[in-house]
Amino acid sequence: MKRRIRHRFAEALTPWGRRSFYSDVLAQSPRLIVLSGGSPQYVSAVLLHLLSESPLDNFDAYHALWSPMEIVGVFCHERRVNIIPSAIIDQDTMGSLPATVQPVHLKGPHTAWPRVSHRTSRLLAIAKYAHDEMEARIKPHIITAEVDSVRQLLLRLVPLQSSTGSKGGKIRHFFGGSLTPTGWVDFLPEEFNDLEVRISFQGTFGLDHTSLIRWFGERISFVGYDVDFYHCEWDSSHVDHIVAPSLKLGVTLATAPHALEPRSSDISIDMRHWLSPHHEDLLPLINTFQTGINQTLNRLYEETASLVNSTDLQGIDQDVALLRKVLNESLILS
C-alpha cells in the first residue's frame, strides 16, 4: 500500500465562533506531542519538513481555517501519535488529553496566533436563520415513503456484520470544510476519489437529508466498520458527508459550496422526488443565505489582511530533527 497523507479540517468558522473537533482528534492516540513557541507559519514549515522526511508513515494533516494552505497539526497512523501546538488546543479539552504527553519547545520566533472575532462569526447567523426557515417551510411537503425507500437502498449497501463483530466501529469527526479568508475551502475530493461506491444526494439544501446521512453512518458503525463523519461548516449538528474506508464507500451531499464532481458510476439520489407539489417561494431566503455568507467572507478577509506572516525559519532543521527523534522514541514505546 502506498503512502498517503490525508488533508483535513478539524476546525471551522460557525455562527457560534470557531468550533473544533481537536478533542476527538486527540482521543485517537495514546501519545501526544505538544508544541510550544513558533509562529503559525513556522509550525507549518516544521511539520511539512517532518512529513517530507517520513516517507514510510501515513499522516492526517490538519489545516488552519485562517490560512488553509498551512497545517497546524498532524496525526501519524503507524506510531499512533498526534503532534499539535498548544495554541490551538481548547482549554476545555486539557482534562481529556492522553496520559502520555511529550512537550517540545520550538526554537522558531514566537508570535501570537490569530483568532476569529465573535462579530465575524455572528454574521453566519444570518445564513443559518435562512437555512432553518427554508427547512421549516419545506418539511410539511416531504413524502415520507420516498425517504423510507432511500433508507432501504442505503441499508442494502452495507454487509450485515464486519469482522469486528458486535463491538462497533469507531466514528471520527471532522469538518467538511470552512469559510476562510480565501473563500470556501474543503479537502473532500481527495477523500472520495479512491472510493469504489459513491452515493450522491442531489438537490437543493433545506431538506432534512443530513439526518439520513448521519443515520446511515451510525448504522455502518453499529455493524462494526469505522466511519469518518464530515460535519457541516456552519452548523456542526449536521453531517453532510461520511466515508467508510474499509468498505471504500462514501456518501456526499452534492450541493454548494462543497459539491463534488460526479462520476458516471455514482449512485445518484434525486431529492426532488421527496417533495409533493408545493408553492413555497424560497428565493428571498436563498438570497438572505448568500448575503450572510458574503458578509462573513468580507469581514473575515478584512480581519486577516493585517496579519503579519513570519518568514524567519532559523532553527527549523534542529526542530525537525528533534521531532523526528521524539517520534522514533514513541515508536519504541508504543
Side-chain angles (χ1 to χ4, degrees), residues 110-135:
H110 176 71
T111 61
W113 286 55
R115 290 289 184 266
V116 177
S117 75
H118 187 65
R119 289 184 62 189
T120 296
S121 65
R122 286 298 295 166
L123 288 172
L124 277 181
I126 299 173
K128 178 167 172 52
Y129 152 77
H131 182 280
D132 291 350
E133 181 66 19
M134 281 189 286
E135 202 167 72

Side-chain angles (χ1 to χ4, degrees), residues 60-119:
D60 289 346
Y62 299 100
H63 290 250
L65 68 88
W66 65 80
S67 184
M69 294 303 103
E70 294 174 353
I71 61 174
V72 291
V74 296
F75 170 59
C76 179
H77 287 262
E78 286 75 12
R79 304 166 194 257
R80 307 301 296 172
V81 177
N82 275 301
I83 305 176
I84 301 286
S86 59
I88 65 170
I89 300 178
D90 297 327
Q91 291 301 312
D92 59 357
T93 69
M94 294 300 290
S96 61
L97 293 181
T100 306
V101 178
Q102 173 70 54
V104 171
H105 181 75
L106 301 177
K107 300 180 183 299
H110 176 71
T111 61
W113 286 55
R115 290 289 184 266
V116 177
S117 75
H118 187 65
R119 289 184 62 189

Side-chain angles (χ1 to χ4, degrees), residues 37-292:
S39 66
Q41 296 78 25
Y42 185 85
V43 168
S44 181
V46 168
L47 294 177
L48 286 171
H49 277 73
L50 180 67
L51 265 59
S52 66
E53 295 182 12
S54 306
L56 300 180
D57 293 318
N58 293 285
F59 287 90
D60 289 346
Y62 299 100
H63 290 250
L65 68 88
W66 65 80
S67 184
M69 294 303 103
E70 294 174 353
I71 61 174
V72 291
V74 296
F75 170 59
C76 179
H77 287 262
E78 286 75 12
R79 304 166 194 257
R80 307 301 296 172
V81 177
N82 275 301
I83 305 176
I84 301 286
S86 59
I88 65 170
I89 300 178
D90 297 327
Q91 291 301 312
D92 59 357
T93 69
M94 294 300 290
S96 61
L97 293 181
T100 306
V101 178
Q102 173 70 54
V104 171
H105 181 75
L106 301 177
K107 300 180 183 299
H110 176 71
T111 61
W113 286 55
R115 290 289 184 266
V116 177
S117 75
H118 187 65
R119 289 184 62 189
T120 296
S121 65
R122 286 298 295 166
L123 288 172
L124 277 181
I126 299 173
K128 178 167 172 52
Y129 152 77
H131 182 280
D132 291 350
E133 181 66 19
M134 281 189 286
E135 202 167 72
R137 293 190 186 184
I138 289 177
K139 190 173 183 179
H141 306 287
I142 296 177
I143 304 173
T144 306
E146 292 287 345
V147 180
D148 288 342
S149 68
V150 173
R151 190 185 301 268
Q152 295 304 315
L153 167 65
L154 295 176
L155 284 177
R156 290 194 293 271
L157 297 173
V158 181
L160 292 179
Q161 191 173 6
S162 78
S163 59
T164 60
S166 60
K167 293 181 180 180
K170 295 179 181 178
I171 295 178
R172 298 198 300 167
H173 299 274
F174 307 101
F175 282 101
S178 181
L179 270 178
T180 76
T182 57
W184 289 96
V185 175
D186 68 63
F187 301 101
L188 287 169
E190 70 172 35
E191 289 299 306
F192 279 79
N193 282 343
D194 296 333
L195 298 179
E196 295 176 358
V197 179
R198 303 199 328 178
I199 304 153
S200 176
F201 282 77
Q202 305 284 343
T204 184
F205 49 67
L207 296 169
D208 194 22
H209 39 280
T210 57
S211 295
L212 184 58
I213 294 174
R214 176 193 284 273
W215 167 84
F216 185 47
E218 291 171 347
R219 174 69 182 182
I220 294 173
S221 173
F222 177 75
V223 297
Y225 299 95
D226 293 344
V227 189
D228 293 338
F229 279 25
Y230 293 89
H231 293 249
C232 179
E233 303 84 19
W234 53 275
D235 188 345
S236 57
S237 66
H238 292 177
V239 177
D240 287 349
H241 323 269
I242 62 171
V243 172
S246 63
L247 295 177
K248 290 190 173 297
L249 179 150
V251 180
T252 181
L253 176 59
T255 58
H258 37 54
L260 301 179
E261 187 69 26
R263 299 189 309 202
S264 58
S265 59
D266 287 355
I267 299 173
S268 181
I269 297 174
D270 189 346
M271 296 182 293
R272 291 174 299 180
H273 297 159
W274 297 10
L275 295 175
S276 61
H278 62 283
H279 302 285
E280 298 288 343
D281 182 12
L282 300 180
L283 183 58
L285 289 171
I286 293 174
N287 290 336
T288 301
F289 178 85
Q290 193 60 56
T291 297

